[in-house]
Amino acid sequence: MAQLEALLGPGRVGKARLLPSRRLDAFALDNYLQPTATLPQAEIADTWTGHGLPLRRFRPSPEVRVELQNEQPASFQTHHETFMVRHADGPWLLSGEWWDDNAWQREVWAVTVEDGSLYQLACEGGRWVLDGVLG
């Protein structure tokens, strides 16, 4: 284990432990070499959209720049290209753990772009990410 940690870096070897949260994929990593220490919570976005389509999530979710029009996404830009939004469904407002320091709040949108592709965008703490592609 010490050799793996030396190869991968400190805090990257251990056992995933689910956290008592309703947020999807909320977990902590228990280090085998230091069993009493728990590394910071790593959380992946909630993915409910109401479309009934599978969501192929991007991990990690890339940050995007979103332009709003009438409080809805009108376009979004990745590092490589810009997508014009033809239709936006949402927002679905998700939140949890408001009673302690791990409070979270997300605004989730399903957007159809010009070529007919359906994407899921999310905004958490003013930061927009592209969660994945639907369908």
Side-chain angles (χ1 to χ4, degrees):
M1 289 295 165
Q3 289 176 338
L4 276 175
E5 189 170 54
L7 179 66
L8 299 173
R12 294 185 180 259
V13 176
K15 178 181 174 186
R17 175 177 46 87
L18 291 177
L19 295 174
S21 173
R22 290 191 172 268
R23 189 171 191 170
L24 293 180
D25 297 334
F27 71 93
L29 188 64
D30 291 333
N31 191 327
Y32 283 124
L33 301 176
Q34 301 166 355
T36 57
T38 300
L39 298 175
Q41 179 175 339
E43 297 174 343
I44 307 297
D46 284 310
T47 59
W48 184 84
T49 64
H51 282 278
L53 297 173
L55 175 66
R56 287 181 247 154
R57 292 197 291 180
F58 302 134
R59 292 186 181 186
S61 298
E63 195 163 332
V64 293
R65 175 170 291 156
V66 175
E67 186 176 315
L68 299 175
Q69 188 174 55
N70 298 327
E71 299 181 11
Q72 293 186 9
S75 68
F76 64 95
Q77 182 179 4
T78 65
H79 290 338
H80 305 294
E81 59 185 307
T82 300
F83 297 91
M84 298 305 294
V85 174
R86 191 170 61 194
H87 180 75
D89 287 330
W92 290 281
L93 304 176
L94 307 170
S95 65
E97 300 175 28
W98 45 266
W99 53 88
D100 66 18
D101 293 337
N102 294 322
W104 58 272
Q105 191 172 343
R106 284 176 64 86
E107 178 180 314
V108 179
W109 291 84
V111 296
T112 307
V113 296
E114 291 173 319
D115 69 359
S117 299
L118 188 60
Y119 293 97
Q120 180 170 301
L121 296 172
C123 181
E124 187 169 349
R127 181 178 162 258
W128 284 90
V129 293
L130 181 59
D131 277 344
V133 61
L134 290 153

